[in-house]
């Protein structure tokens, strides 16, 4: 039933009412829905029918011959009558067999009303059952909408909303971006090809919506399709000023959507649109804005960090720093330009934090955590082409150190071609058996010639050398990681080799420089915290 149809009940509800005593004596046993009850004693009632009726008659003007009865039944079936009820006595002692045969022939359920059942009683029972069904729908809708609203307040809001939507509609639900990437899903996953069909429908609907918006024409907000008994629906998420976001909600179910399903889906669509709006995705709540103001006016990270931690304080007072790089491959879409709400909302939900910043292909984020929290790799980030590096949990004063750890973890992830690397100290390594003071002095001395270089400067040359070694001497991958031309990488490393008077093709030289890079004072800052 859609929102424009009349409330209705299955015919079986009336047949199951013992006080009515109705009995089906002809027609199919399939589910028929009754939206109203009508009584007629005219030969051709079709001008007065709207469809969906249980039509009651005592046969006062029923044709006497089989052909006339057949014509009568054919007409009411064509008018959309859901079922025919025949009241026996006082005119007919029993239902005419010609009427039984005609109803069987034309697929019209025929009910026998006993003499003790007034037509009015059937109408009263029908409308009472419809009212109860409507009240039940309102209760179910209210319960579902309350659950959806509660789920929207969870840290994993997008996933939680989809989970509640699936639970209350029985449908598989998925959130897609404009390229058809499945960002989140909930409910039992249907067998192939249903997920692909929903994805394709979402891509087409989103593209058509944006084309029509661009042309100044009304744009479709939803689309539906049926395939092999499965109902597929897609709703684009509404945005501000009548526009739409690049996201679409897709659903697949083996049962036809009901009025409750439409209402619950509408609520979920609005909530998902709010959760993926730029304001929500960027976490611009009052506490966050206050912390930003204090930082701009001179407060330290340690002073403002408590204002950014979750209100329940269950995660402690530590933070995990995340660095990311967008490296699309294969069918992974290129990163949209600007602050894309879909990217922000998806990554924010996957990482469990609103505190993230995307600048082109680069990502930085802060995740509230406890001191012993172990970062986990979100699958959605890898699906969207992101490579991530995580720091261990750090207190607010140690965030600069955690920032360096996250960047080194990211570089290792890029070099190893793995979606995520979590920084961890080496338990026993060359770093552990060399005295820190001696190691730092060696590193300073080794790279001292770079301090006298002009543009681009020692910092740039060291960063290029570090990235090149991280990537096992690959010119192209180093150029991609640094976002410069490969000839620029060659020029910089040639300059490094000249200043340090080394052969960078020598494995022993590379090993020596690798350790020296890690022993530089700024690289060792994090070690000071672990080895007082």
């Amino acid at each position: 039933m859609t929102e424009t149809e009349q409330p209705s009940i299955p015919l079986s509800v009336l047949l199951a009412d013992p006080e009515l005593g109705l009995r089906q004596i002809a027609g199919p046993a399939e589910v028929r829905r009754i939206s109203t009850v009508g009584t007629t004693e005219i030969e051709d009632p079709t001008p007065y029918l709207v469809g969906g009726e249980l039509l009651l008659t005592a046969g006062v003007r029923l044709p006497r011959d089989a052909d006339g009865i057949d014509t009568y039944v054919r007409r009411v079936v064509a008018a959309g009558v859901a079922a025919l009820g025949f009241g026996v006595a006082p005119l007919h002692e029993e239902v005419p067999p010609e009427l039984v045969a005609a109803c069987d022939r034309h697929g019209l359920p025929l009910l026998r009303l006993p003499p003790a059942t007034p037509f009015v009683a059937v109408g009263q029972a029908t409308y009472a059952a419809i009212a109860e069904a409507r009240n039940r729908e309102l209760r179910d809708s209210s319960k579902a909408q309350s659950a959806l609203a509660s789920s929207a307040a969870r840290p994993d809001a997008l996933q939680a909303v989809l989970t509640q939507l699936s639970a209350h509609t029985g449908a598989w639900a998925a959130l897609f971006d404009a390229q058809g990437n499945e960002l989140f899903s909930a409910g039992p996953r249907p067998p192939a090809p249903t997920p692909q069909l929903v994805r394709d429908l979402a891509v087409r609907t989103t593209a058509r919506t944006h084309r029509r918006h661009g042309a100044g024409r009304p744009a479709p907000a939803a689309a539906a399709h049926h395939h092999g008994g499965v109902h597929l629906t897609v709703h684009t998420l509404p945005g501000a000023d009548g526009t739409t976001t690049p996201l679409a909600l897709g659903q697949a179910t083996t049962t036809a959507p009901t009025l409750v399903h439409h209402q619950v889906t509408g609520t979920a669509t609005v909530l998902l649109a709010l959760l993926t709006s730029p304001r929500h995705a960027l976490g611009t709540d009052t506490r966050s804005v206050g912390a930003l103001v204090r930082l701009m006016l001179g407060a330290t990270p340690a002073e403002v960090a408590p204002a950014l931690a979750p209100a329940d304080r269950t995660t402690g007072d530590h933070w995990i720093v995340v660095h990311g790089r967008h490296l699309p491959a294969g069918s992974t879409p290129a990163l949209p330009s600007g602050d894309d709400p879909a990217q922000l909302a998806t990554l924010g939900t996957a990482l469990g934090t609103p505190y993230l910043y995307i600048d082109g292909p680069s990502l930085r984020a802060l995740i509230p955590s406890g001191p012993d929290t172990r970062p986990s790799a979100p699958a959605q980030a890898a699906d969207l082409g992101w490579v991530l590096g995580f720091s261990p949990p750090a207190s607010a004063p140690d965030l600069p150190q955690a920032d360096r750890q996250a960047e080194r973890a990211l570089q290792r992830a890029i070099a190893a071609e793995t979606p995520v690397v979590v920084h961890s100290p080496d338990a026993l390594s060359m770093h552990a058996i060399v005295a820190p003071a001696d190691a730092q002095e060696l590193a300073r001395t080794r790279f001292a010639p770079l301090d006298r270089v002009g543009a681009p400067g020692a910092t740039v040359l060291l960063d290029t050398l570090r990235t090149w070694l991280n990537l096992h001497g690959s010119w192209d991958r180093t150029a991609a990681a640094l976002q410069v031309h490969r000839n620029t990488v060659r020029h910089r490393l040639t300059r490094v080799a000249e200043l340090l008077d080394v052969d960078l093709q020598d494995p022993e030289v590379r090993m020596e420089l690798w350790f020296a890079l890690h022993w530089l004072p700024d690289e060792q800052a994090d070690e000071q915290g672990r080895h007082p």
Side-chain angles (χ1 to χ4, degrees):
M1 180 176 62
T2 67
E3 294 179 37
T4 59
E5 292 177 340
Q6 294 294 323
S8 62
I9 58 169
L11 179 60
S12 57
V13 172
L14 300 179
L15 292 171
D17 189 335
E19 294 187 4
L20 296 178
L22 306 181
R23 181 166 57 90
Q24 183 172 347
I25 59 175
E30 64 188 33
V31 176
R32 293 290 180 93
R33 299 194 69 86
I34 306 299
S35 58
T36 188
V37 176
T39 301
T40 181
E41 298 298 346
I42 59 178
E43 293 181 4
D44 183 10
T46 54
Y48 310 100
L49 302 175
V50 295
E53 297 96 343
L54 169 57
L55 188 62
L56 304 180
T57 180
V60 175
R61 301 292 298 273
L62 186 70
R64 301 303 178 183
D65 60 284
D67 289 341
I69 291 177
D70 185 85
T71 299
Y72 177 88
V73 172
R74 180 163 38 82
R75 285 174 175 172
V76 297
V77 168
V81 167
L84 182 65
F86 194 91
V88 297
L91 184 61
H92 294 269
E93 294 297 329
E94 195 50 71
V95 181
E98 295 83 0
L99 182 60
V100 175
C103 287
D104 277 330
R105 187 160 49 250
H106 293 287
L108 179 65
L110 175 61
L111 311 185
R112 180 186 184 276
L113 277 67
T117 300
F119 286 4
V120 172
V122 176
Q124 289 175 337
T126 301
Y127 297 129
I130 288 176
E132 174 56 31
R134 182 59 175 156
N135 289 335
R136 185 166 55 250
E137 288 176 344
L138 292 173
R139 291 193 299 268
D140 291 345
S141 179
S142 176
K143 181 179 178 181
Q145 290 171 345
S146 176
L148 286 169
S150 297
S151 65
R154 290 170 51 96
D156 57 340
L158 292 177
Q159 182 64 62
V161 168
L162 286 180
T163 299
Q164 288 298 325
L165 174 63
S166 176
H168 288 278
T169 62
W172 176 69
L175 187 63
F176 298 93
D177 65 12
Q179 289 75 34
N181 292 293
E182 183 183 310
L183 306 179
F184 300 94
S185 65
R189 191 176 188 84
T194 297
Q196 183 65 34
L197 292 174
V198 177
R199 175 194 178 278
D200 293 344
L201 184 61
V203 171
R204 292 196 304 271
T205 305
T206 302
R208 187 165 61 249
T209 298
H210 284 281
R211 283 199 304 270
R212 294 197 176 184
H213 271 306
R217 293 179 292 166
H225 181 60
H226 296 83
H227 178 80
V230 179
H231 299 263
L232 314 177
T233 57
V234 165
H235 293 77
T236 56
L237 302 192
D241 302 326
T243 62
T244 59
T245 71
L247 300 177
L249 170 64
Q251 293 175 283
T253 177
T254 55
T255 58
T258 66
L259 177 61
V260 173
H261 293 173
H262 286 294
Q263 293 173 337
V264 173
T265 298
T267 300
T269 301
V270 172
L271 287 174
L272 291 171
L274 292 173
L275 293 170
T276 54
S277 66
R279 180 175 179 83
H280 185 278
L282 291 170
T284 53
D285 56 82
T286 303
R287 299 170 74 233
S288 301
V289 171
L292 175 61
V293 171
R294 293 173 62 193
L295 276 175
M296 295 182 69
L297 296 180
T300 66
E303 291 173 322
V304 302
L308 299 179
D312 56 15
R313 306 293 296 173
T314 57
T315 57
D317 56 355
H318 283 61
W319 301 83
I320 294 171
V321 180
V322 184
H323 280 213
R325 183 68 54 81
H326 192 260
L327 300 175
S331 60
T332 305
L335 184 69
S337 60
D339 292 328
D340 178 40
Q343 288 276 343
L344 290 171
T346 301
L347 290 172
T349 300
L351 294 172
T353 179
Y355 306 120
L356 55 114
Y357 171 67
I358 296 177
D359 181 16
S362 299
L363 160 73
R364 287 191 177 186
L366 283 173
I367 304 176
S369 73
D372 301 319
T373 302
R374 175 70 179 178
S376 58
Q380 291 87 353
D383 292 341
L384 292 174
W386 287 96
V387 178
L388 302 176
F390 289 81
S391 78
S395 60
D398 295 329
L399 285 177
Q401 157 190 332
D403 187 58
R404 292 190 295 271
Q405 293 172 335
E407 177 59 27
R408 288 203 298 275
L410 172 61
Q411 294 299 329
R412 289 199 296 272
I414 294 173
E417 298 182 345
T418 186
V420 64
V421 165
V422 179
H423 177 87
S424 60
D426 296 323
L428 181 60
S429 66
M430 185 66 68
H431 304 291
I433 63 177
V434 177
D438 293 340
Q440 291 182 16
E441 182 61 29
L442 185 152
R444 288 194 190 95
T445 302
R446 192 71 187 88
F447 295 114
L450 300 185
D451 293 337
R452 300 186 296 272
V453 74
T459 300
V460 172
L461 294 180
L462 286 173
D463 188 47
T464 303
L465 176 62
R466 182 183 297 108
T467 303
W468 183 71
L469 293 174
N470 250 330
L471 297 175
H472 309 294
S474 170
W475 305 103
D476 291 331
R477 292 167 63 193
T478 301
L482 295 176
Q483 297 182 285
V484 298
H485 195 275
R486 68 193 308 272
N487 289 340
T488 301
V489 175
R490 286 185 177 275
H491 176 76
R492 290 178 183 176
L493 292 177
T494 298
R495 186 70 174 140
V496 169
E498 292 174 351
L499 291 170
L500 300 183
D501 192 21
V502 296
D503 179 9
L504 292 180
Q505 302 306 314
D506 187 334
E508 291 188 8
V509 171
R510 294 190 189 189
M511 179 182 66
E512 176 192 347
L513 295 178
W514 177 256
F515 283 117
L517 282 170
H518 281 271
W519 287 333
L520 281 175
D522 59 340
E523 290 288 327
Q524 286 292 308
D526 59 314
E527 300 293 334
Q528 301 301 319
R530 295 196 300 272
H531 305 287

